[in-house]
Amino acid sequence: MEEMAYLDNSATTRTDDQVVRVMVEVMNNIYGNPASLHGLGAKAERLVTQAREATARTLGVSPGEIVFTSGGTEGNNTAIKGVAFQYRDRGRHLITTRVEHPSVYGVCKQLEEWGWRVTYLPVDAYGRVRPEDVETAITDETVLVSVMHVNNEVGTIQPIAEIGALLKRHPKVLFHVDAVQSFGKMEVRPKEWGVDLMTLSGHKFHGPKGVGCLYVREGVSLAPLLTGGGQEGGLRSGTHNVPGIAGFAKAALLAKERQPEAVRRWSRWKADLIEQVMSRVEGVRVNGDPSHEGGAPHIVSFSFPGLRSEVIVHALEEENVFVSSKSACSSKGEKPSRILLAMGLDPTAAVGSIRISMGYHTTEEEVERCARALCQVIPRLQKIMT
């Protein structure tokens, strides 16, 4: 049987062997509760402290600014709701974009139901927001701007540094960035960019599922979502997931180390994949910004008008090639991608879109196998549908 080509790394990645070994070691030997007063608890607490310090180094921030969470969804909810509730007396207006991940977009919709006002900024054909539109939307009631770094469906990079620079003129407006799809794939500099809150998720860079972190700039106050024992500086109560936290920190260090070489590989493979498919398949469209400067190196999005994404995904699966349609958090819905519609795609193109995404374990052979499969499967499906 031909080996599979796993190219759905933006949905999740295979946990790295080194990370697994760290977690097994911790589960076997450092199983105390960090809140316990005895020696086993103290040993676990020291490990959490070391993991916090290691994670902070990868982001260029202080250890006290790292809050461990269960992943991207909790991190985004904590950042947005935490600001909204904490600063509701200052104002009840938030700004975001039409192309955010469901864990941001859904939170904003929920806050609207609870009395907050949200401005959803439009994007261009690449899925990119204009910094000047952010500033134009700011009012005296605005407390937060939330813009993702890399779009999870099409890979477009948002102008985070430019937005952060203009928000310096509005010191009462906090800036949250969902960096779940960017950390480990490109440079992430929250301090340099003027970011107040930044979300990461371990399983997107070969760490464990169910653990992530939220960077909270010193001086920023949040209303906690989870109250109880007061862990994580009172921002995230609950017994620490010590093995997960240790695995997360190990994965973050590995990602930082591997990133430069991986980016070079991904960029080359992405360009080759686009060239092969565009030259051999009729009617195909590349979604997002395919350039090295404007698009993430590990994500490619294609649209095949007239076809349905689920049909393409299952046809490729029969060739042992695994990709996805839209965000894994919403891929089972039958509606066209909200992201692609916001970018101006016709619904017939939006429903026929797939996402190909690479990780550290991806090989050139896998990408080549995917290109061959697409160039065989798509014409066959197009012939059936005409």
Side-chain angles (χ1 to χ4, degrees), residues 334-354:
E334 295 182 356
K335 296 181 180 180
S337 162
R338 168 177 54 84
I339 309 302
L340 298 179
L341 293 179
M343 292 165 53
L345 263 72
D346 184 273
T348 59
V351 298
S353 299
I354 63 169

Side-chain angles (χ1 to χ4, degrees), residues 283-309:
V284 61
R285 170 195 168 107
V286 179
N287 302 315
D289 191 337
S291 71
H292 177 70
E293 297 78 17
H298 64 298
I299 297 176
V300 184
S301 174
F302 290 118
S303 278
F304 304 96
L307 302 180
R308 297 192 66 84
S309 58

